[in-house]
Amino acid sequence: MYTQDVRTDSKPVERRAAPTPEEQAFQARIDADIRVEPKDWMPEAYRKTLIRQISQHAHSEVVGQLPEGNWITRAPTLERKAILLAKVQDEAGHGLYLYCAAETLGITRDQMYEQLHSGKAKYSSIFNYPTLTWADIGAIGWLVDGAAIMNQVPLQRCSYGPYARAMVRICKEESFHQRQGYDIMMKLAQGSEAQKAMAQDALNRWWWPSLAMFGPPDAESVHSAQSMAWKVKLNSNDELRQKFVDQTVPQADYLGLSVPDPKCKLNEETGHYDFGELDWDEFYQVVRGNGPCNKERLAARVDAWEDGAWFRDGLMAYADKRSARSAAE
Amino acid sequence: MNEWPLWEVFIRGQHGMSHRHVGSLHAPDAEMAVNAARDVYTRRNEGVSIWVVRAADITASAPGKKGPLFEPSNAKVYRHPTFFDIPDDVGAM
């Protein structure tokens, strides 16, 4: 899944009047598409921006397991259950690739967990919505993973080597997620009236939050210019949002479902779909912690971490004891 | 709490290539690191063999020493076969 680039500290990155020779050389390398690697010199603001972006991305993958995990025990068939398990396991893997990439920048895993658990770090607002029916699992794969792919494919070319490489692995696996979701939606859309209504209801609830995943409109996205120059962000929020709408509306048509937006229709002149205004008040409410499931999600993560402490410590104590024993021999 | 140490993971793919670095993970010991590497890095048949090495045991060359380390090989272009012009009449070589 992915990160929304919502700043937790509102102070913008300060631009000095004249860049130092080091900063100039750094930017020249980025302009020449030479990847930045962990031990290379980098501006402190670049490091901080990436730590925030990659760790938010990692947190999103990990928290993203929760809404889907809700349906593992209630999947309609054994096959669907096995598929959903594999998908949720992938999300855990994606979180781990990303935490490792962030750690190369000098933050520890425990520090990142602490930031998540204390509420200091954010994760994608989409995971604060509930999964009420089985169709929600279809809608998440199709829409939420679809939106994530839109964002992550360009990040494979981002300037920071470990992040770009993690993104390559993630993108390879993400396509399975979207297709399994669409497969669920197709089955329901071709099913009974009740099943079709369930699919439409899921689309109604997930459509707008999925569009919000691309982040605030470009006009309000004050930090974008620097991130673009550093190539840690490669497309603007509105650009990606439009691309997603253009790709997804025909897919809804194929299902015989309609997106919950009366203003959404193909503009013959531009060749793009026009669409209505997003409810940004709702978006900021969810980001600030007032979404339907914010408290539940965070509590689940904190409980998992605290309840697992004795186990982590036990394994470490065992490893220490064994290495002490083999040293003595 | 003490954090589990970091391990670098290397995987050998299907086709007889060398082990290749794929990423890292935290684990309390080598055995657990191999088990976790199986789950994190080979969910889609990516490999037939796993190596794990404690990240702290790896010595890396310094990026600042790129010049002195690698410049000598740049200066020896004759190490590449294309340095030598062999007439077409000689045939494939």
Side-chain angles (χ1 to χ4, degrees), chain A residues 39-40 89-90 93-94 96-97 100 103 108-110 169 173 176 312-313 315-316 318-319 322, chain B residues 1-6 22 24-26 28-29 31-32 39-41 43-44 46 60 63 66:
Chain A
K39 288 187 171 179
D40 293 342
Q89 192 189 17
D90 274 354
H94 295 179
L96 291 174
Y97 309 154
C100 289
E103 282 176 82
T108 69
R109 184 77 59 95
D110 283 1
R169 294 188 65 86
E173 300 176 351
F176 145 60
R312 292 191 303 276
D313 292 345
L315 284 180
M316 201 64 236
Y318 177 68
R322 274 213 313 187
Chain B
M1 283 307 127
N2 53 350
E3 201 176 86
W4 286 349
L6 188 68
V22 293
S24 50
L25 51 78
H26 289 270
D29 58 29
E31 190 188 343
M32 289 296 289
D39 291 342
V40 180
Y41 292 106
R43 287 193 304 281
R44 285 175 179 77
E46 285 91 339
K66 245 178 232 166

Side-chain angles (χ1 to χ4, degrees), chain B residues 37-79:
Chain B
R38 203 264 324 242
D39 291 342
V40 180
Y41 292 106
T42 67
R43 287 193 304 281
R44 285 175 179 77
N45 245 341
E46 285 91 339
V48 293
S49 164
I50 299 173
W51 287 351
V52 294
V53 184
R54 259 182 195 257
D57 290 339
I58 291 179
T59 307
S61 62
K65 291 227 178 103
K66 245 178 232 166
L69 270 178
F70 303 114
E71 201 45 45
S73 79
N74 276 339
K76 294 175 179 62
V77 284
Y78 44 79
R79 282 178 170 159

Side-chain angles (χ1 to χ4, degrees), chain A residues 246 265-274:
Chain A
D246 289 345
K265 61 166 183 281
L266 187 64
N267 183 327
E268 300 284 351
E269 274 173 40
T270 60
H272 296 291
Y273 282 85
D274 294 334

Side-chain angles (χ1 to χ4, degrees), chain A residues 49-303:
Chain A
T49 298
L50 270 175
I51 286 179
R52 196 201 56 251
Q53 183 174 336
I54 302 174
S55 64
Q56 280 186 9
H57 196 158
H59 297 327
S60 299
E61 302 283 352
V62 169
V63 177
Q65 296 176 96
L66 298 170
E68 294 183 296
N70 186 35
W71 281 89
I72 289 174
T73 55
R74 286 174 284 167
T77 67
L78 186 57
E79 187 186 52
R80 293 282 185 201
K81 181 176 180 166
I83 291 169
L84 184 56
L85 265 172
K87 197 225 177 223
V88 172
Q89 192 189 17
D90 274 354
E91 305 299 357
H94 295 179
L96 291 174
Y97 309 154
L98 288 161
Y99 281 130
C100 289
E103 282 176 82
T104 63
L105 290 159
I107 188 170
T108 69
R109 184 77 59 95
D110 283 1
Q111 283 171 328
M112 285 186 276
Y113 286 156
E114 194 280 322
Q115 291 177 351
L116 172 67
H117 296 160
S118 68
K120 190 173 166 239
K122 300 291 178 204
Y123 52 86
S124 186
S125 59
I126 192 88
F127 304 118
N128 291 315
Y129 291 89
T131 44
L132 304 177
T133 72
W134 171 249
D136 289 13
I137 301 306
I140 287 179
W142 171 36
L143 301 173
V144 177
D145 290 286
I149 291 171
M150 214 47 105
N151 180 63
Q152 291 173 157
V153 165
L155 283 176
Q156 294 177 100
R157 293 179 285 110
C158 82
S159 62
Y160 189 58
Y163 192 29
R165 290 190 286 273
M167 220 41 72
V168 171
R169 294 188 65 86
I170 289 174
C171 285
K172 266 190 203 159
E173 300 176 351
E174 206 78 72
S175 168
F176 145 60
H177 297 178
Q178 193 185 17
R179 292 173 72 131
Q180 66 86 35
Y182 197 71
D183 187 66
I184 291 172
M185 294 303 273
M186 279 198 296
K187 205 71 170 179
L188 291 170
Q190 292 159 5
S192 67
E193 276 310 307
Q195 285 170 319
K196 196 173 169 182
M198 193 193 272
Q200 180 64 55
D201 169 64
L203 173 55
N204 291 349
R205 283 182 290 107
W206 290 95
W207 176 252
W208 292 109
S210 297
L211 295 193
M213 282 176 70
F214 295 97
D218 293 350
E220 290 168 35
S221 195
V222 285
H223 307 276
S224 287
Q226 180 62 76
S227 287
M228 293 263 209
W230 279 334
K231 293 187 186 168
V232 295
K233 182 184 174 94
L234 291 115
N235 305 85
S236 84
N237 297 351
D238 287 335
E239 206 178 309
L240 290 173
R241 188 166 14 245
Q242 182 67 56
K243 213 173 154 194
F244 176 74
V245 172
D246 289 345
Q247 178 190 283
T248 311
V249 174
Q251 294 169 351
D253 291 343
Y254 180 86
L255 294 172
L257 305 176
S258 49
V259 300
D261 179 4
K263 287 190 183 151
C264 184
K265 61 166 183 281
L266 187 64
N267 183 327
E268 300 284 351
E269 274 173 40
T270 60
H272 296 291
Y273 282 85
D274 294 334
F275 56 97
E277 185 70 17
L278 277 77
D279 182 351
W280 292 111
D281 288 341
E282 176 183 319
F283 170 76
Y284 286 112
Q285 278 300 321
V286 178
V287 168
R288 287 196 197 103
N290 303 319
C293 301
N294 293 58
K295 288 191 180 64
E296 188 186 330
R297 300 289 184 245
L298 210 51
R301 286 311 314 157
V302 171
D303 286 350

